Amino acid sequence: VIMVQTRRARKSAIVKALEWDEVRFFSSAGGTGDLARGIHARFWRASDVGADILDWALRLMTKTIAPIYRSLPEWDWDPQSKTTELCATDVRWLVVYGVEGLLPIAFAAFSFEFADDGDTPIAYLLELHCEPEHQRKGIGSWMMQRIRQAASAACCQKIVLTVFNANISAFEFYQRQPGW
């Protein structure tokens, strides 16, 4: 009986996570005030991400990760598949905008799911990219903190991500993150 109740509570948590709203999150997480002055961030449901943001994100990934995809014989960079993945209904985006607040400079896409055991709520980090001229300024680490807070607020027990072995700088970045 306890196992069934626990399973229901976990499934309820993941349903809650799928309905997660950045307004509630920012009100409990303190907004974006701790990010560099003048830089703003916003959480979006994938369905609310405009074509301009999606196009920008695909161009950014073409600069940052597509060369690694192309260097691996078993992988191929496919913008159409990536678009489908990023626009799935359960995907959330965190977009960071530059000083003027008009142009995006970084984004992360993540979803709330169940682990392979079918019971453990997790957050899966699909993508995290930053414009090259804005890298190594703490934006990626700030985004990771916000994703960790969002996952915790959604009752996720862990965050999962995948990094290509060939992407050494990303691998080192994730290793430096507290709690990762």
Side-chain angles (χ1 to χ4, degrees), residues 46 54 58 61 82-88 91 93 107 109 127:
L54 180 60
L58 288 169
M61 288 188 295
K82 191 53 74 175
T83 298
T84 300
E85 177 183 57
L86 294 174
C87 292
V91 173
W93 287 52
F107 86 98
E127 303 291 340

Side-chain angles (χ1 to χ4, degrees), residues 7 13 25 27 36 39 47 74 78 82 91 104 128 132 134 138 142-143 148 156 161 163 175 178:
R7 216 174 260 157
F25 171 70
S27 66
I39 295 177
S47 59
E74 65 275 13
D78 181 2
K82 191 53 74 175
V91 173
L128 190 147
H134 294 284
W142 182 88
M143 292 170 70
R148 190 172 37 249
C156 292
L161 58 90
V163 177
Q175 282 187 317

Side-chain angles (χ1 to χ4, degrees), residues 160-172:
V160 177
L161 58 90
T162 303
V163 177
F164 289 125
N165 289 333
N167 195 349
I168 295 167
S169 62
F171 188 79
E172 291 172 348

